[in-house]
Amino acid sequence: MSDEPNTPVIDLSLRLWQRTRGEITVIGTWILTTRRPCLALVPSRALPTHDRITPCLVPLDMAFAWDEHTGDPADTAAMSYQFAAALGLNPMEPRNVIAVTSIVRDSLGDLLAMPPFPEGEKQAVADVLITDPNTGKTTEAEIVDNV
């Protein structure tokens, strides 16, 4: 995967599941650069002026930060505030911030149960055969790229 700034980090067409609650839709998908599961929060209804949506991501490695037992409530509130604003919700309205926290927490179990990135979404781009000239031992490998 390229490190160029326009390289997508996720592909919302690669979703395992999706759930809508009010103005927020949460999608179970994978981060393409790490091939690890994540939650992607998007507005349920994109405004007509939005030709592109920037989702709010909760990577599997950060699930603990959102859990009510292991996460810091102040950090969770701050992240929920930022997510609400990014989703086009009024972050000064407490119910919007609470809705973000609630939908993320309700989806943590599904995030933890997600399988690895689907292998069918990779494309082989080259085969490599390495031969050790001293021993004659060969090693085969396949170079793949995400589709």
Side-chain angles (χ1 to χ4, degrees), residues 81-106:
Y81 179 91
Q82 292 172 352
F83 278 23
L87 292 168
L89 305 173
N90 179 359
M92 299 306 287
E93 179 65 46
R95 70 177 164 183
N96 292 335
V97 177
I98 292 169
V100 169
T101 304
S102 178
I103 197 164
V104 169
R105 285 183 173 168
D106 290 348

Side-chain angles (χ1 to χ4, degrees), residues 74-85:
D75 289 342
T76 302
M79 289 185 289
S80 296
Y81 179 91
Q82 292 172 352
F83 278 23

Side-chain angles (χ1 to χ4, degrees), residues 120-140:
E121 299 300 330
K122 296 187 313 180
Q123 179 179 16
V125 294
D127 288 320
V128 178
L129 180 63
I130 303 170
T131 305
D132 185 338
N134 297 327
T135 63
K137 180 181 175 187
T138 61
T139 304
E140 293 182 46

Side-chain angles (χ1 to χ4, degrees), residues 36-92:
R36 308 254 307 143
C38 74
L39 300 176
L41 281 71
V42 296
S44 296
R45 290 171 299 228
L47 299 175
T49 58
H50 291 154
D51 57 345
R52 294 176 17 155
I53 295 172
T54 302
C56 299
L57 301 180
V58 178
L60 176 64
D61 299 335
M62 292 301 299
F64 74 92
W66 289 86
D67 183 75
E68 57 193 88
H69 302 292
T70 59
D72 180 352
D75 289 342
T76 302
M79 289 185 289
S80 296
Y81 179 91
Q82 292 172 352
F83 278 23
L87 292 168
L89 305 173
N90 179 359
M92 299 306 287

Side-chain angles (χ1 to χ4, degrees), residues 2 23 27 48 63-64 85 91 95 113 115 117 147:
S2 173
E23 298 181 52
I27 300 167
F64 74 92
R95 70 177 164 183
F117 186 81
V147 175

